[in-house]
Amino acid sequence: MPVQKKKKHKVTYIKSAFLPPDYPVHKKKEVAFVGRSNAGKSSLINALAGSDVAKVSNTPGKTRLINFFNFGDSYVLVDMPGYGFAARSGDEIREWTQAIEGYIDQRDELVGLVLVMDVRRDWEEEEKMLMRFANKVGLPVVVAMTKIDRLNQKELKERLAAIKQHAHTDKLFPVSSTKEQGYDVMEDYIYKEWIKG
Ligand code: GDP
């Protein structure tokens, strides 16, 4: 795995919102990051930013909101609320589903979704649901598989194959925020396919 290139943007927090009327107004493209709580989404966003930006999203009161950040002049990174339904009430699940589906359905600026998952976890109901939302509106998805530093090569190969089979996509990017691996490849893909295109 190549050592991370240091190619960072000036990242600034724009605002947090729940419903479409509160989304920020701008002329850039948006790339949204979504994942199960604890998947490593904040660490990945911080790694891409080269600073501790995602802490905003983890402050109390903001965890259920959609958080918008300028990534330099090139695009707006959207940090979506984490999921993990087992521990949540029916109302919370409905609220999350409504916010996420509403955003994906209605946001014209949105050009792609980064589904963040711990490489050691299986593809579950929530990931299926997110794929359905994206497919419905023809939105491209990549899967960032985090924490690859926790596995050896053989285990990693097995996990990649298992996730690929269920995700029905070959746009899978193995990453480690801790070891600074892989996310430059994913970022290059996002630029080439979603931002510049
Ligand atoms: P979030 O809830 O999806 O935003 O997840 P966080 O980014 O807060 O990470 C959850 C936990 O996983 C934290 O303890 C992180 O330190 C850890 N973590 C995140 N990324 C990595 C990684 O690439 N490698 C390892 N070993 N741990 C990670």
Side-chain angles (χ1 to χ4, degrees):
M1 201 73 71
V3 173
Q4 193 64 36
K5 282 179 276 174
K6 299 288 175 203
K7 170 189 65 177
K8 303 295 178 194
H9 320 272
K10 185 170 170 11
V11 180
T12 51
Y13 170 66
I14 306 172
K15 70 180 297 197
S16 303
F18 184 64
L19 294 173
D22 299 323
Y23 297 163
V25 178
H26 60 76
K27 292 194 162 52
K28 290 183 227 160
K29 293 176 176 175
E30 290 185 350
V31 176
F33 284 60
V34 65
R36 184 177 302 283
S37 302
N38 224 32
K41 175 167 59 72
S42 308
S43 303
L44 177 60
I45 293 172
N46 288 339
L48 289 168
S51 63
D52 221 3
V53 289
K55 70 169 184 283
V56 177
S57 321
N58 283 332
T59 48
K62 299 255 165 111
T63 52
R64 292 185 191 175
L65 297 173
I66 300 173
N67 300 292
F68 297 82
F69 299 90
N70 274 314
F71 257 58
D73 294 328
S74 48
Y75 69 101
V76 169
L77 185 147
V78 181
D79 185 6
M80 316 272 268
Y83 54 82
F85 293 165
R88 301 266 174 99
S89 72
D91 279 353
E92 283 175 298
I93 297 171
R94 267 188 295 280
E95 192 179 87
W96 182 87
T97 310
Q98 198 186 10
I100 302 295
E101 192 178 13
Y103 172 77
I104 292 175
D105 268 356
Q106 296 177 37
R107 190 62 165 163
D108 292 339
E109 291 82 348
L110 179 61
V111 294
L113 190 68
V114 179
L115 204 163
V116 183
M117 70 179 291
D118 186 324
V119 70
R120 298 164 302 174
R121 284 196 74 117
D122 288 324
W123 193 257
E124 293 181 46
E125 200 45 53
E126 295 92 335
E127 283 81 24
K128 282 188 207 159
M129 189 175 74
L130 285 162
M131 279 295 197
R132 273 203 306 277
F133 291 166
N135 289 339
K136 193 171 68 174
V137 293
L139 180 72
V141 179
V142 300
V143 181
M145 295 173 304
T146 62
K147 312 190 192 181
I148 58 166
D149 54 285
R150 295 277 181 92
L151 301 181
N152 64 35
Q153 284 301 318
K154 180 171 175 285
E155 291 166 334
L156 181 58
K157 220 172 141 201
E158 285 166 7
R159 292 306 305 147
L160 286 179
I163 294 170
K164 190 170 179 174
Q165 193 189 0
H166 289 102
H168 299 296
T169 176
D170 55 4
K171 300 290 177 291
L172 303 173
F173 293 94
V175 302
S176 166
S177 306
T178 312
K179 294 270 167 70
E180 301 204 323
Q181 288 174 335
Y183 53 83
D184 57 337
V185 179
M186 185 182 80
E187 197 175 30
D188 285 349
Y189 178 88
I190 289 173
Y191 270 108
K192 199 162 146 267
E193 299 295 326
W194 296 351
I195 308 297
K196 295 226 168 74

